[in-house]
Amino acid sequence: MISGVLLDLAGVIYDGEEAVPGATDAVRRLRDAGLPMRFVSNTTRSTKPAVLDRLARLGLSVAADEVFTPAEAARRWLAEHGRSPHLLVHPNLVQEFADLSAGLPKAVVVGDAGEAFDYPALNAAFRELIAGAELLALAPNRTFRDSDGKLSLDAGAFVTGLEFASQKSAIVLGKPSQPFFRSALATMSCPDDQAVMVGDDAETDVAGALQAGLGHAVLVRTGKYREGDERRFEPVPTATLRDLSEAVDWILDTRTP
Amino acid sequence: MISGVLLDLAGVIYDGEEAVPGATDAVRRLRDAGLPMRFVSNTTRSTKPAVLDRLARLGLSVAADEVFTPAEAARRWLAEHGRSPHLLVHPNLVQEFADLSAGLPKAVVVGDAGEAFDYPALNAAFRELIAGAELLALAPNRTFRDSDGKLSLDAGAFVTGLEFASQKSAIVLGKPSQPFFRSALATMSCPDDQAVMVGDDAETDVAGALQAGLGHAVLVRTGKYREGDERRFEPVPTATLRDLSEAVDWILDTRTP
């Protein structure tokens, strides 16, 4: 049975400024069914208030504490470990780190910096790493579906390159890290084996959730999905479905054993 | 015994425009001893004529066919496989590929592009890869010693990132690929077990040469060498010495059994 739902955002609920067809109705059907749900996103080009605004413009009323972002997880990590961030992130995200202490030992924080991934910025981050800084990856995703409809390089490529050059391993804050999934689950009082994750990334959403111990993970054929993704990563999805609307049908059918 | 010598260039014979102290005399002593030698460089920011010019300005007369570069190896690969290059290389190196056929299926060629490693260029290369292009790495080096004396990101970081995002493996053309070492050895009629490689990169020069079957590899503590490099990669160096001058002493001592 299923008693709690984690939903990805980009590629599942919206693509850019547009809702994925049927997605907002699907979210409302989950709400009406009384199923607790949380939103877990690896998007690191928008602040959390911007994410909430976008959901509101699509007619979805979502509370701030229902949304989990890698930037929040990074802020907690930096505070717990007494580190100041050296940022390699999208300009939109810089303000999320503005109030943190400066002057402490550094940790390099890598998000999807987009055009800000240039040689001087990457090399400056590399030099911090070999001088002793830890490497924090907001998200390790390989690709995302860009505004022109094509796949583009996501932060994972740059994280992997920095790991290779510095011979350090990144600490992943967002999906597929187990603590990230667990921080969302912990707010729903839902047993792991009764939780389902719905996402368009077969690796970080689906295989990641199953590896983190969730009972179910549904891959949707929207967003960045490419033919064959359901066979490309282990563990394979519990189900691979057309979109969030079909996923919600499946969840409501599977809800009671 | 030793009957043939392969020498790295940057960090061994010169650093930027300056000769490494004692290096040009050391090369002359090898010449005077009648030992055949070849120069194998992973530098991909200079054309071969520019490399020969730089050696000449340091007072070393080296013939074009004594120097082996990854760009030459890439030109051969492209011709043999009927591919046109999609270049992600330093502007200085573009002319080395100018006369190759256009309009054939693509192979992405990655060198140390320096400031030309920006997001649009990396993403364009990534899109060629997922559309079917092969990935050719002129060199997979992690770091190089930059003009400010500090280590900087070399091409390997970007090759690794593109491999991760595209889920393709790069074909390495320069060191440490076995064919690259062998193409230089083949011109010296020197048995593998009587060849020595001298370099400042414990991974691509030293471990690479030993893995490729050379009998000996000497790590020098000049150029990009960092304390502990001689224990960082397997196989470890046959000897770790102060500089090329000491390496030549060692070679001349080891020459006869």
Side-chain angles (χ1 to χ4, degrees), chain B residues 153-176:
Chain B
L153 283 177
D154 208 333
F158 300 92
V159 170
T160 305
L162 288 170
E163 286 183 308
F164 176 76
S166 69
Q167 297 182 263
K168 292 193 163 182
S169 292
I171 299 159
V172 175
L173 279 311
K175 296 176 285 185

Side-chain angles (χ1 to χ4, degrees), chain A residues 43-75:
Chain A
T43 306
T44 60
R45 287 195 178 189
S46 308
T47 59
K48 188 160 170 176
V51 167
L52 294 171
D53 275 358
R54 184 179 305 195
L55 289 168
R57 284 199 303 278
L58 299 177
L60 292 175
S61 173
V62 173
D65 60 7
E66 292 179 304
V67 176
F68 292 78
T69 68
E72 288 177 299
R75 286 174 55 90

Side-chain angles (χ1 to χ4, degrees), chain B residues 136-198:
Chain B
L136 304 188
L138 294 181
N141 299 65
R142 298 175 199 263
T143 65
F144 69 101
R145 186 163 296 280
D146 213 335
S147 52
D148 63 1
K150 297 181 182 173
L151 293 187
S152 283
L153 283 177
D154 208 333
F158 300 92
V159 170
T160 305
L162 288 170
E163 286 183 308
F164 176 76
S166 69
Q167 297 182 263
K168 292 193 163 182
S169 292
I171 299 159
V172 175
L173 279 311
K175 296 176 285 185
S177 89
Q178 194 179 48
F180 188 67
F181 284 114
R182 302 203 71 81
S183 65
L185 286 179
T187 65
M188 291 199 297
S189 62
C190 155
D192 291 359
D193 63 351
Q194 295 179 19
V196 63
M197 169 76 207
V198 182

Side-chain angles (χ1 to χ4, degrees), chain A residues 45 112 114-120 122-123 126-127 130 140-144 146 148-154 156-158 160-167 203 226 232-233, chain B residues 45 112 114-120 122-123 126-127 130 140-144 146 148-154 156-158 160-167 203 226 232-233:
Chain A
R45 287 195 178 189
D112 173 19
E115 306 269 326
F117 279 130
D118 59 23
Y119 188 82
L122 285 159
N123 203 40
F126 163 71
R127 287 180 169 190
I130 60 172
N141 299 65
R142 298 175 198 262
T143 64
F144 70 100
D146 213 334
D148 63 1
K150 296 181 181 171
L151 293 186
S152 282
L153 283 177
D154 208 333
F158 300 92
T160 306
L162 288 169
E163 286 183 308
F164 176 76
S166 68
Q167 298 182 262
E203 185 174 26
R226 283 197 300 165
R232 207 158 272 148
F233 303 98
Chain B
R45 286 194 179 189
D112 173 19
E115 305 269 326
F117 280 129
D118 59 23
Y119 188 83
L122 285 160
N123 203 40
F126 163 71
R127 287 180 169 189
I130 59 172
N141 299 65
R142 298 175 199 263
T143 65
F144 69 101
D146 213 335
D148 63 1
K150 297 181 182 173
L151 293 187
S152 283
L153 283 177
D154 208 333
F158 300 92
T160 305
L162 288 170
E163 286 183 308
F164 176 76
S166 69
Q167 297 182 263
E203 186 175 24
R226 282 197 298 164
R232 207 158 272 147
F233 302 98

